[in-house]
Amino acid sequence: AVCILLHTEMGNGIDFMMGSHAWHGIAPNDEQLAEALRQNPETLGDY
């Protein structure tokens, strides 16, 4: 068996999301998404 433990930060790199659990399970609106992608340009795909 393999167990991988990670220490992560919710909203890492996005100033209005970091350190807040308010975004857990809630999608940003179009403006918030655009700002988040501007602040963190490294993404997993084309949004």
Side-chain angles (χ1 to χ4, degrees):
V2 174
C3 178
I4 299 173
L5 301 176
L6 302 171
H7 176 74
T8 62
E9 169 131 17
M10 295 177 83
N12 188 40
I14 311 303
D15 62 2
F16 63 93
M17 290 181 171
M18 279 184 66
S20 172
H21 291 278
W23 290 96
H24 185 72
I26 298 173
N29 64 32
D30 290 342
E31 289 177 9
Q32 293 164 327
L33 175 60
E35 178 61 18
L37 291 174
R38 187 188 67 73
Q39 290 183 35
N40 195 358
E42 189 173 318
T43 63
L44 296 175
D46 182 16
Y47 297 97

